[in-house]
């Protein structure tokens, strides 16, 4: 059974390679890749049930027992994130399949998305820190190509900055790995955690943990998000949706994994993360409120969400971690929805500034109300999915006495609400400027993925009870001994 | 031995950072390539140098060198090779599109088409 874990990474890669040969038939590419991902999603649900019943599942490649060799570890946290990733990708691919863009389809879009998925899910599943680096690179290399697809000039320029900054952050990752290997002599994450706990956090390990913090902050966009708004707002709709929903979350996951499992002692790192999260919330809010370009506003909303998640990590109580896990799952769906909506608005009007559009609600009611739903969801208003996560993190902050973070979280929620309501009131309300003749038709098929995502965000909000056992299980992150025992095989 | 290599890593890193801070695209990419060489040497040094003989089956020796850093470097070299190749192609496309290879001439906001 545990052998099936490898399928999550191998199947997307093999299918991607096969699809490279079918460049001429976009239909086959799209439905084949969507079908494969749906099958993987089903398998993932089954494995999630298994893990819920029998504890953490493990796959040792080549039969090398830990701490030797490399391995995949499927705990609830990793599985929840992988499943969400698969679902968001399926819906984004549906969006492409129903509204094809010649330029992208002809240049291996589907294989690249599958490779991207392999990298992301590999990062979630791996139990070995060097493998984490390799999976990061698989993901990043796909994202480099995706960010340049679609071929306008701005993209190339932004891609250059994106690639350079990611190469530098990967370099830091390797430096961190080198020092970890030099100081504790192992690469298996559970084994590192054990040895670090045994030796205590000496100055060298503290420095190494700060190197890792730098790396993952660069990938997640925590405080070091300078590259993010430019690159996320220059790409085509679907790429932005995939990036905004999935890529930063891998950095967030790595921060969670490394700082709950390995470097969980001392107060240095939580303080650092708290300060960085606070500054991220402030910077993201300022950006979201300041810009009038709707793509930029959406990109800064990604930054705010990252700040909020890491605020949850730095608070670090069980409540806050549970809330953050809820929030990560919600944010993946909601961000994908936001970017798809914004892309559709740009497609319909050919404008990007909020004061250039008006009265879209009259022409496209479903689109308008979907936008309203995503606004409420991202601002954390019940009954949508953002509410539960926010309320739990804020309760955790109260428990812990982190009043500054509490204030910043509330204020940033208001900034999200303000920035999105501004789009809603400017672009959707008011006199329509598109006459009935000029109106671009919006086929119902194009709206289907959007409606799907909107109903998912509502279902997640209403189905908190269904999700609760899984999220509580995932929040056992805070007790690293479960993970360590499962990996090192001590019952 | 280790200290000499560490100094070399430091020199390589500083050279790479100098190149990264220049305005020329090709120099920046060369900077990233040298940067990854520096970290490969660092990983090798971290595994310990000249600590024993070659780790081969059938070899009878008191001590063996650690083979793991070499495996890590092999992976990292392949990855950095691919990324460098990609960024060179990207730089070429940027040059074709903008007619310049200087970063400061690629500035501006996204509104300018």
């Amino acid at each position: 059974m545990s052998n099936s874990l490898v399928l999550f990474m191998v199947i997307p890669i093999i299918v991607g390679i096969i699809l490279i040969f079918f460049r001429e038939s976009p239909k086959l590419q799209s439905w084949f890749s969507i079908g494969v991902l749906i099958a993987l999603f089903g398998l993932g649900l089954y494995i999630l049930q298994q893990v819920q019943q029998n504890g953490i599942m493990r796959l040792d490649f080549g039969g090398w027992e830990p701490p030797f060799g490399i391995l995949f570890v499927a705990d609830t946290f990793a599985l929840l994130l992988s499943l969400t990733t698969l679902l968001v990708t399926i819906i984004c691919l549906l969006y492409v399949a129903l509204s094809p863009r010649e330029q992208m389809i002809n240049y291996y879009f589907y294989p690249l998305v599958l490779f991207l998925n392999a990298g992301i899910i590999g990062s979630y599943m791996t139990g070995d820190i060097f493998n984490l680096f390799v999976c990061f690179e698989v993901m990043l290399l796909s994202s480099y190509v995706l960010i340049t697809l679609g071929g306008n000039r701005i993209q190339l320029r932004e891609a250059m900055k994106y690639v350079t900054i990611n190469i530098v952050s990967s370099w830091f990752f390797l430096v961190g790995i080198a020092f970890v290997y030099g100081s504790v002599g192992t690469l298996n994450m559970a084994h590192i955690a054990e040895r670090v706990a045994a030796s205590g956090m000496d100055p060298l390990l503290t420095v190494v943990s700060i190197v890792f913090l730098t790396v993952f902050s660069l990938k997640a966009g925590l405080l070091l998000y300078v590259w993010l708004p430019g690159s996320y707002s220059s790409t085509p709709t679907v790429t932005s949706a995939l990036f905004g929903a999935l890529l930063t979350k891998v950095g967030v996951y790595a921060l969670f994994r490394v700082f709950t499992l390995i470097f969980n002692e001392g107060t240095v790192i939580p303080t650092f993360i708290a300060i960085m999260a606070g500054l991220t919330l402030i910077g993201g809010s300022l950006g979201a409120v300041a810009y009038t370009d709707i793509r930029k506003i959406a990109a800064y909303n990604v930054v705010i969400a990252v700040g909020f998640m890491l605020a949850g990590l730095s608070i670090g109580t069980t409540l806050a971690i549970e809330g953050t896990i809820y929030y990560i799952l919600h944010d993946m769906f909601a961000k994908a929805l936001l970017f798809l909506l914004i892309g559709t608005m740009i497609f319909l009007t050919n404008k990007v500034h909020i004061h250039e559009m008006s009265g879209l609600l009259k022409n496209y009611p479903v689109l308008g109300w979907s936008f309203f739903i995503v606004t409420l969801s991202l601002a954390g208003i019940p009954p949508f999915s953002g509410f539960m996560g926010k309320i739990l993190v804020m309760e955790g902050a109260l428990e812990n006495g982190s009043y500054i973070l509490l204030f910043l979280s509330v204020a940033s929620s208001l900034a999200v609400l303000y920035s999105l309501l501004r789009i809603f009131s400017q672009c959707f309300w008011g006199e329509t400027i598109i006459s009935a003749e000029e109106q671009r038709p919006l086929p119902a098929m194009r709206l289907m993925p959007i409606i799907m995502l909107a109903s998912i965000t509502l279902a997640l909000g209403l189905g908190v009870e269904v999700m609760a056992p899984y999220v509580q299980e995932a929040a056992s992150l805070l007790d690293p001994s479960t993970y360590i025992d499962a990996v090192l095989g001590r019952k | 031995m280790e200290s000499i290599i560490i100094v070399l890593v430091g020199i390589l890193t500083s050279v790479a950072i100098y190149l990264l801070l220049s305005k020329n695209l090709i120099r920046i990419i060369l900077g990233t390539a040298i940067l990854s060489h520096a970290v490969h040497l660092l990983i090798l040094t971290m595994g310990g140098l000249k600590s024993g003989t070659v780790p081969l089956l059938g070899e009878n020796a008191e001590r063996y060198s650690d083979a793991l850093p070499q495996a890590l470097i092999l992976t990292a070299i392949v990855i950095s090779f691919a990324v460098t190749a990609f960024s060179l192609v990207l730089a070429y496309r940027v040059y074709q599109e903008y007619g310049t290879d200087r970063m400061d001439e690629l500035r501006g906001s996204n509104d300018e088409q």
Side-chain angles (χ1 to χ4, degrees):
Chain A
M1 185 62 226
S2 65
N3 278 345
S4 55
L5 287 184
V6 76
L7 294 177
F8 288 105
M9 196 167 172
V10 167
I11 295 267
I13 289 179
I14 291 179
V15 172
I17 291 171
I18 292 171
L19 287 183
I20 286 177
F21 297 103
F22 292 100
R23 183 180 156 176
E24 299 305 320
S25 40
K27 272 241 163 11
L28 179 124
Q29 281 195 50
S30 59
W31 298 117
F32 191 40
S33 46
I34 290 170
V36 164
L37 289 176
I38 288 175
L40 277 180
F41 183 75
L43 176 70
L45 283 178
Y46 178 68
I47 289 183
L48 184 65
Q49 294 301 339
Q50 291 286 319
V51 168
Q52 198 71 359
Q53 282 160 14
N54 316 330
I56 297 176
M57 215 182 258
R58 188 181 91 206
L59 168 61
D60 310 328
F61 290 111
W64 289 88
E65 295 264 314
F68 308 104
I70 54 180
L71 72 165
F72 269 12
V73 184
D75 65 345
T76 316
F77 184 45
L79 276 172
L80 281 178
L81 288 172
S82 307
L83 283 171
T84 316
T85 303
L86 283 169
L87 198 53
V88 168
T89 314
I90 291 166
I91 294 174
C92 287
L93 286 182
L94 264 178
Y95 185 88
V96 185
L98 300 172
S99 55
R101 285 189 44 180
E102 286 305 313
Q103 243 177 336
M104 290 180 62
I105 308 304
N106 283 349
Y107 290 97
Y108 310 111
F109 174 77
Y110 291 105
L112 285 166
V113 171
L114 288 167
F115 295 149
L116 183 83
N117 256 299
I120 293 172
I121 293 176
S123 312
Y124 289 149
M125 294 253 179
T126 182
D128 169 290
I129 202 147
F130 192 77
N131 243 355
L132 185 67
F133 165 78
V134 174
C135 292
F136 260 36
E137 290 301 314
V138 171
M139 169 188 97
L140 285 172
L141 208 48
S142 320
S143 73
Y144 297 159
V145 186
L146 277 173
I147 209 170
T148 52
L149 275 189
N152 62 30
R153 298 178 55 178
I154 306 287
Q155 267 177 278
L156 289 172
R157 194 182 69 192
E158 295 298 343
M160 200 66 227
K161 298 169 190 172
Y162 176 78
V163 171
T164 312
I165 203 148
N166 271 307
I167 291 174
V168 173
S169 72
S170 299
W171 178 80
F172 273 112
F173 200 169
L174 279 174
V175 170
I177 289 173
F179 277 104
V180 161
Y181 187 66
S183 49
V184 298
T186 177
L187 291 169
N188 181 314
M189 285 202 269
H191 202 209
I192 295 174
E194 219 177 26
R195 291 204 176 171
V196 167
S199 68
M201 287 284 279
D202 57 11
L204 178 65
L205 284 172
T206 309
V207 171
V208 170
S209 63
I210 289 173
V211 169
F212 278 124
L213 179 63
T214 315
V215 176
F216 298 139
S217 304
L218 267 168
K219 310 272 191 210
L222 171 70
L223 187 62
L224 308 166
Y225 58 81
V226 186
W227 53 272
L228 194 146
S231 35
Y232 282 25
S233 61
S234 62
T235 48
T237 310
V238 173
T239 317
S240 300
L242 282 170
F243 281 20
L246 308 178
L247 280 197
T248 49
K249 308 297 177 296
V250 182
V252 172
Y253 165 83
L255 281 165
F256 267 73
R257 181 62 81 205
V258 167
F259 292 115
T260 54
L261 179 69
I262 300 177
F263 303 111
N264 51 11
E265 288 174 41
T267 54
V268 181
I269 291 290
T271 317
F272 263 64
I273 294 181
I275 294 169
M276 288 165 95
L279 290 172
T280 311
L281 285 171
I282 295 170
S285 305
L286 288 177
V289 173
Y291 280 95
T292 58
D293 178 340
I294 55 177
R295 293 170 307 178
K296 274 267 190 323
I297 295 175
Y300 275 103
N301 270 302
V302 174
V303 175
I304 296 176
V306 170
F308 188 82
M309 290 166 201
L310 273 303
L313 175 63
S314 68
I315 291 163
T317 57
T318 316
L319 264 185
I321 296 283
E322 273 180 38
T324 314
I325 293 168
Y326 268 119
Y327 193 79
I328 293 176
L329 300 183
H330 137 82
D331 194 70
M332 282 174 156
F333 293 118
K335 281 293 180 308
L337 176 55
L338 178 67
F339 277 101
L340 287 185
L341 282 165
I342 280 187
T344 314
M345 281 163 69
I346 294 170
F347 161 78
L348 292 170
T349 57
N350 271 336
K351 302 269 192 293
V352 293
H353 286 284
I354 51 176
H355 44 256
E356 293 170 328
M357 301 178 222
S358 170
L360 289 173
L361 197 58
K362 271 212 183 65
N363 312 60
Y364 312 105
V366 179
L367 189 75
W369 293 117
S370 308
F371 196 91
F372 191 61
I373 287 177
V374 82
T375 304
L376 296 183
S377 183
L378 281 169
I381 292 168
F384 298 105
S385 53
F387 171 70
M388 203 63 219
K390 286 214 169 179
I391 203 82
L392 285 176
V393 172
M394 285 171 190
E395 265 184 58
L398 271 177
E399 243 181 38
N400 210 6
S402 330
Y403 296 113
I404 298 175
L405 278 182
L406 178 71
F407 167 74
L408 286 174
S409 307
V410 178
S412 72
S413 299
L414 286 178
V416 169
L417 188 64
Y418 172 76
S419 68
L420 295 177
L421 272 182
R422 206 167 49 140
I423 299 181
F424 187 68
S425 64
Q426 289 264 4
C427 306
F428 287 100
W429 288 358
E431 282 305 304
T432 174
I433 43 172
I434 311 175
S435 65
E437 298 83 64
E438 289 176 339
Q439 185 174 324
R440 270 200 180 182
L442 178 63
M445 290 305 270
R446 264 194 98 119
L447 278 171
M448 205 175 73
I450 288 173
I451 293 168
M452 276 165 94
L453 280 168
S455 31
I456 287 175
T457 176
L458 181 60
L460 267 184
L462 296 175
V464 169
E465 289 299 321
V466 183
M467 294 292 293
Y470 298 105
V471 173
Q472 276 156 3
E473 181 68 28
S476 66
L477 277 176
L478 284 173
D479 179 21
S481 59
T482 350
Y483 185 90
I484 294 173
D485 291 345
V487 171
L488 298 178
R490 300 184 196 120
K491 288 283 174 276
Chain B
M1 187 72 194
E2 270 90 350
S3 23
I4 299 172
I5 299 286
I6 287 291
V7 170
L8 178 62
V9 170
I11 291 171
L12 279 176
T13 309
S14 41
V15 167
I17 289 172
Y18 175 77
L19 283 172
L20 271 175
L21 294 176
S22 62
K23 285 177 179 153
N24 183 311
L25 278 180
I26 298 295
R27 281 182 165 216
I28 291 173
I29 292 167
L30 286 177
T32 58
I34 293 175
L35 203 57
S36 50
H37 285 311
V39 79
H40 298 159
L41 271 177
L42 178 71
I43 294 176
L44 193 64
T45 319
M46 280 295 175
L49 298 168
K50 290 194 163 180
S51 53
T53 54
V54 191
L56 290 174
L57 291 174
E59 182 88 12
N60 291 317
E62 284 294 304
R63 293 170 57 100
Y64 295 110
S65 302
D66 189 353
L68 191 64
Q70 296 163 31
L72 301 187
I73 292 168
L74 188 63
T75 316
I77 284 176
V78 172
I79 289 170
S80 83
F81 184 76
V83 172
T84 309
F86 179 82
S87 40
L88 281 169
V89 173
L90 183 62
Y92 180 64
R93 282 287 294 132
V94 169
Y95 176 71
Q96 274 189 324
E97 209 55 57
Y98 285 87
T100 177
D101 64 346
R102 290 175 61 83
M103 277 308 252
D104 54 347
E105 292 172 12
L106 298 176
R107 291 171 59 176
S109 73
N110 284 356
D111 303 339
E112 304 157 22
Q113 285 299 326

